[in-house]
């Protein structure tokens, strides 16, 4: 991509309010969108997230009723619910260490220092701190997905307008250690979605980007 085409894609994207329910994202495009989730960075690389792709139409209808009846939930081609991990225990840290060792073909024991550091900073941290931290990581993945969608000229909507406790219940998340925090609808804008014609509202660049010399 060129500088111009990246800028164009960023201007082109908008939080889509109304989707064309007849248009579906191709397999090929979905592959790349999935990659953007899997390849997103996270603190320590520990990936305290999961992404539920809700395919069942009846389930989407149900979720819509606890999402301020926002039509994106049912009409978008894909609907992704972002989950964060509530607690960071030694078992999860070990699982991550084992994965590094497997992928990089190194002995797990060579990662003992890294493991101790994560246990100290994460497993021993107060639960509330971990919850906030985990949610932040999930939002990084969300940003990657939104940006990738824009580059592919696929419409997207980041969404927090839903009842997370109701989602957790509908999706059977109680007792799993995972909770919903945000969602992203993806697909193709309806030609009559008037929001696509609105000018973007952003504070002036010099008021938000400051060079410290
Ligand atoms: C975390 C987050 C949650 C949002 N929740 C909703 C939502 O529930 N429904 C919706 O229509 N838009 C939602 N938005 C879209 C914002 O209103 C929109 O991104 C913002 O007004 C800027 O406009 P633009 O994205 O069209 O440039 C959300 C955006 C973010 C980043």
């Amino acid at each position: 991509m060129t500088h111009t085409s990246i800028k164009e894609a960023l201007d082109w994207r908008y939080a889509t309010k109304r989707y064309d329910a007849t248009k579906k994202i191709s397999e090929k495009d979905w592959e790349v969108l999935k990659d953007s989730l899997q390849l997103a960075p996270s603190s320590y690389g520990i990936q305290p997230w999961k992404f539920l792709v809700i395919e069942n139409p009846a389930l989407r209808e149900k979720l819509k009723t606890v999402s301020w009846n926002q039509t994106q939930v049912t009409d978008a081609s894909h609907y992704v619910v972002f989950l964060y991990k509530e607690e960071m225990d030694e078992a999860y840290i070990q699982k991550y260490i084992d994965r590094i060792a497997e992928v990089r073909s190194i002995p797990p024991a060579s990662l003992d220092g890294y493991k101790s550091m994560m246990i100290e900073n994460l497993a021993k941290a107060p639960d509330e701190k971990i919850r906030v931290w985990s949610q932040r990581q999930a939002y990084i993945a969300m940003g990657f997905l939104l940006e990738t969608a824009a580059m592919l000229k696929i419409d997207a909507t980041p969404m927090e307008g839903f009842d997370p406790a109701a989602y957790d219940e509908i999706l059977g998340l109680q007792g799993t250690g995972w909770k919903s925090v945000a969602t992203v609808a993806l697909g193709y804008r309806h030609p009559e979605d008037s929001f696509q014609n609105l000018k973007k509202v952003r504070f002036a660049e010099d008021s938000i980007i400051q060079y410290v010399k």
Side-chain angles (χ1 to χ4, degrees), residues 35-162:
D35 287 345
S36 73
L37 290 171
Q38 194 184 9
L39 295 173
S42 58
S43 184
Y44 298 95
I46 204 165
Q47 310 151 69
W49 54 46
K50 273 191 200 230
F51 314 104
L52 300 184
V53 186
I54 313 296
E55 296 188 320
N56 181 317
L59 198 50
R60 288 234 218 148
E61 278 295 341
K62 213 165 172 185
L63 293 174
K64 185 169 102 171
T65 64
V66 289
S67 311
W68 309 348
N69 281 315
Q70 299 191 77
T71 59
Q72 297 98 318
V73 181
T74 47
D75 294 352
S77 167
H78 285 59
Y79 189 60
V80 183
V81 180
F82 286 66
L83 309 184
Y84 69 95
K85 191 148 177 16
E86 277 183 278
E87 287 172 13
M88 206 34 76
D89 51 21
E90 283 199 37
Y92 192 79
I93 291 168
Q94 186 61 51
K95 185 176 137 168
Y96 174 49
I97 290 288
D98 291 344
R99 180 71 176 160
I100 303 174
E102 180 200 344
V103 171
R104 295 190 173 155
S105 304
I106 51 172
S110 68
L111 298 162
D112 278 354
Y114 194 42
K115 182 176 153 186
S116 307
M117 189 171 77
M118 285 191 283
I119 290 173
E120 204 53 44
N121 295 339
L122 302 174
K124 293 187 182 167
D127 287 350
E128 181 50 29
K129 195 175 164 192
I130 289 300
R131 276 194 285 275
V132 172
W133 169 85
S134 271
Q135 291 175 27
R136 284 195 205 125
Q137 312 310 312
Y139 278 85
I140 295 172
M142 181 200 251
F144 264 51
L145 179 62
L146 295 173
E147 171 104 14
T148 305
M151 300 300 146
L152 291 169
K153 286 271 161 83
I154 290 171
D155 286 300
T157 320
M159 296 174 72
E160 278 179 330
F162 67 94

Side-chain angles (χ1 to χ4, degrees), residues 5-21:
S5 63
I6 293 171
K7 171 82 166 77
E8 269 169 16
L10 293 173
D11 278 332
W12 171 87
R13 70 146 293 281
Y14 74 107
T16 305
K17 303 288 173 202
R18 193 173 163 197
Y19 282 86
D20 180 341

